[in-house]
Amino acid sequence: MKICAIICEYNPLHYGHLKHIEDSKKLSGADAVMCIMAGNFVQRGEPALINKYVRARMALDAGADIVVQLPTAYACSSAETFALAGVKIANSFDNVTHLSFGCETKNHELLQELAKFFADEPQEYKDALKKYLDEGNSLVVSREKALEELIKNDVIEFSEITEVFNILRKPNNILAIEYLKALYRTNSKIQPIFSLRENSDYLSDVINGKDTSATAIRAKLSSKPRASAVKRLIPATSYKLLKDEMKSSGLPDLKLYSDIAMYMIKTTPAEELAKIYDVTEGLENRFKEKATKIKDLNTLLLEVKSKRYTYTRLKRIVTALVLGINKDCVEELYKMKQLPFIKVLGFNNNNQSLLNEINCNTNLIIRNSNVVDKPSKLYKNLAQIEDNANAVYNQLLTKTSAITDYAPDLYTKTIVYK
């Protein structure tokens, strides 16, 4: 059996995602599609629109055969960490032969050239990158400036110099490069499948019919919190699940999340804040200093923001604080060959042979009996972060007065769907 993997968030699943799943199976010739999906908090450092089990159902309805979770500790990190965790999960399955992802260029050869260059990181590049980072620029800006300098001075070259910077200025291309880097660095046998994204940018907030991005859909629901507001923008199956979930649980209360985050920032000692993933260069002191006079998270982030620390990066840092994601946990990802466990969120009951034939090199958690008796320190750390994420997420839901059927995440029942 051949499986094509997709690393995703589906926040929520829209027509572009539906087409990507269909195209991925067709282009790869795979027998099944595995979605490696972020949990209740996503890479932009915020709670997902709807919970991970509902989003897993959306994926299964759209043609996926199995949905496994990308651990929250890595799903809420940088693009590099997000991609590396997803690829290491895909590598854990002997049956995964392809990885499909979107990009905004047809020049796949140049994408792979750039990925190999950034994976190898020649010393000249490291030196130039450090220079621009030391000037206070963000990683994205520093990377572009470093490349520009090295290309201008004929230190490095690529097959199509003029196209390099166009590629690096598109968000899907940046993530595509990270996936390719991860495949290269892990010496993966998985083949990349490139899916051209030609219509709406995934960060676009413009309503554009069936080409509307997830960002625009979330913005629409924020201004008009009724499922009917986005009915024409998402597939019928996604709409029904969204409508039912909004009726029973509502959407996460972002004002409450702001209050929780501000409480954590104000009450966490600076030395503990310094242990949180991606907090460097005394950023903990800047957070503490600014928070004394500010009550709102958005206002605080705008005050702390700098060329080096972008708004989104700061949001991820705050989410890491709220959920207890420390530096050690994230750094461990770069050392280990495989994760200590992979949690299955759901699978399509119409493809029973999938679970019989799937071969995983780590603890695949499908039911309670799959949870190990003597977990490692990292296993317990990752599991605790999932429990924290579930507890906070359920607290944010606006219509649920009691958390029904809530249990520690590793013991939560996998969805058997269809």
Side-chain angles (χ1 to χ4, degrees), residues 80 84 118-121 180-187 334:
E80 180 182 79
L84 181 61
F118 289 127
D120 289 337
E121 285 192 313
L180 292 167
K181 266 174 59 181
L183 290 171
Y184 176 72
R185 282 180 167 171
T186 59
N187 197 27
Y334 288 80

Side-chain angles (χ1 to χ4, degrees), residues 12-14 50 58 61-62 234-243:
L13 188 144
H14 54 61
I50 44 179
M58 286 181 173
D61 272 336
I234 57 178
T237 50
S238 293
Y239 171 70
K240 183 181 185 310
L241 287 164
L242 174 66
K243 182 181 178 182

Side-chain angles (χ1 to χ4, degrees), residues 26 39 70 221 405:
K26 191 182 303 179
L70 184 68
L221 283 169
D405 299 326

Side-chain angles (χ1 to χ4, degrees), residues 102-258:
C103 58
E104 292 124 330
T105 179
K106 294 180 181 178
N107 196 335
H108 305 153
E109 293 78 12
L110 184 54
L111 267 182
Q112 295 187 85
E113 273 186 69
L114 285 164
K116 187 176 185 304
F117 175 82
F118 289 127
D120 289 337
E121 285 192 313
Q123 191 59 49
E124 299 91 342
Y125 169 70
K126 286 182 180 179
D127 293 342
L129 182 68
K130 183 178 185 303
K131 178 178 73 173
Y132 291 112
L133 286 171
D134 288 347
E135 290 177 2
N137 297 296
S138 69
L139 176 60
V140 172
V141 171
S142 297
R143 179 168 62 185
E144 187 169 322
K145 284 178 176 287
L147 278 184
E148 193 170 21
E149 177 186 311
L150 296 176
I151 290 171
K152 183 180 179 181
N153 294 330
D154 294 324
V155 177
I156 58 172
E157 59 180 34
F158 295 98
S159 58
E160 293 185 42
I161 297 295
T162 55
E163 186 64 18
V164 166
F165 298 105
N166 290 332
I167 284 178
L168 291 176
R169 288 167 188 157
K170 296 288 187 178
N172 280 290
N173 290 339
I174 291 171
L175 195 51
I177 288 170
E178 294 301 339
Y179 291 138
L180 292 167
K181 266 174 59 181
L183 290 171
Y184 176 72
R185 282 180 167 171
T186 59
N187 197 27
S188 178
K189 295 178 181 177
I190 294 172
Q191 295 297 308
I193 296 287
F194 302 91
S195 177
L196 184 64
R197 187 160 188 149
E198 296 181 284
N199 299 314
S200 179
D201 187 294
Y202 91 103
L203 294 177
S204 170
D205 58 3
V206 176
I207 299 299
N208 188 24
K210 290 186 176 182
D211 291 328
T212 302
S213 70
T215 299
I217 292 168
R218 293 193 301 272
K220 183 77 171 176
L221 283 169
S222 177
S223 63
K224 193 178 291 187
R226 299 192 303 273
S228 58
V230 298
K231 183 175 183 179
R232 66 186 181 89
L233 308 179
I234 57 178
T237 50
S238 293
Y239 171 70
K240 183 181 185 310
L241 287 164
L242 174 66
K243 182 181 178 182
D244 290 347
E245 183 64 14
M246 288 181 67
K247 183 178 179 180
S248 63
S249 300
L251 299 177
D253 184 343
L254 298 184
K255 173 62 172 66
L256 177 57
Y257 179 68
S258 169

Side-chain angles (χ1 to χ4, degrees), residues 11-82:
N11 189 33
L13 188 144
H14 54 61
Y15 282 105
H17 296 137
L18 176 63
K19 184 177 185 301
H20 183 215
I21 291 172
E22 292 170 348
D23 288 349
S24 298
K25 188 174 282 191
K26 191 182 303 179
L27 291 170
S28 65
D31 304 294
V33 168
M34 171 186 288
C35 291
I36 302 169
M37 194 184 75
N40 286 334
F41 286 80
V42 294
Q43 207 255 335
R44 288 180 61 78
E46 58 192 30
L49 183 73
I50 44 179
N51 81 66
K52 60 189 177 184
Y53 289 103
V54 176
R55 287 170 20 249
R57 288 189 179 101
M58 286 181 173
L60 295 170
D61 272 336
D65 297 278
I66 183 168
V67 183
V68 302
Q69 187 177 342
L70 184 68
T72 298
Y74 310 131
C76 294
S77 295
S78 66
E80 180 182 79
T81 303
F82 179 93

